[in-house]
Amino acid sequence: MAETKNVSYDSIMRDLQARKFAKVYYLCGDESYYIDKISDYIAEHVLQSEERDFNQTVLFGSDVTASQVVDAARRYPMMSEHQVVIVKEAQNIKNTDALEKYMKQPLQSTVLVMCHKNGKIDGRKRD
């Protein structure tokens, strides 16, 4: 099962600046400023500018299903070490079963960033 831990903004930023990327970032809480800062840093620094066209995808939770997010996350990067998938407004994704399965075995080359603003994850649903 994927490792879950609560970490601070500073520790996440230290790891990102050291180029130690987690496979999944599920950013949530009432303070959207930090969620935006982390997701913007990932969008600007994980990939080189010439790699972003093919290897960076930004999705919006109200426009996609969990299966579409997983499909994007399961692609392999093209001429790059990583691919980045950022899901903004992740709180709007319905029926997250496919995402839960993906998070148990995420792809090594993908950095998946889920931006869940204005609240906490519903902890009642879990395998």
Side-chain angles (χ1 to χ4, degrees):
M1 185 168 190
E3 179 182 346
T4 302
K5 58 183 172 178
N6 293 324
V7 292
S8 69
Y9 167 80
D10 292 330
S11 67
I12 291 172
M13 290 305 293
R14 266 194 305 277
D15 285 347
L16 290 173
Q17 290 166 350
R19 298 197 57 79
K20 295 179 188 171
F21 305 122
K23 295 174 225 159
V24 177
Y25 292 93
Y26 204 105
L27 309 172
C28 62
D30 295 321
E31 189 58 59
S32 63
Y33 172 79
Y34 294 111
I35 294 170
D36 290 339
K37 291 287 281 185
I38 293 169
S39 64
D40 290 347
Y41 187 90
I42 291 170
E44 295 171 16
H45 293 91
V46 172
L47 300 171
Q48 301 295 322
S49 60
E50 62 272 5
E51 297 173 326
R52 289 187 195 126
D53 287 339
F54 291 111
N55 298 304
Q56 185 163 298
T57 306
V58 178
L59 305 167
F60 288 85
S62 56
D63 297 336
V64 296
T65 65
S67 295
Q68 290 170 318
V69 173
V70 170
D71 288 346
R74 289 211 183 274
R75 287 190 318 238
Y76 288 96
M78 184 179 294
M79 296 180 284
S80 177
E81 184 178 345
H82 298 286
Q83 94 151 319
V84 176
V85 178
I86 300 173
V87 182
K88 297 184 179 225
E89 302 170 3
Q91 70 276 6
N92 294 328
I93 296 176
K94 306 291 185 236
N95 193 3
T96 59
D97 292 340
L99 258 169
E100 290 174 25
K101 287 179 186 174
Y102 174 80
M103 288 186 188
K104 289 178 183 176
Q105 279 191 304
L107 199 63
Q108 295 286 344
S109 58
T110 297
V111 177
L112 174 61
V113 183
M114 303 291 292
C115 301
H116 182 118
K117 293 185 179 178
N118 302 321
K120 296 183 180 181
I121 302 167
D122 184 358
R124 295 176 291 179
K125 179 142 173 77
R126 191 169 231 192
D127 286 327

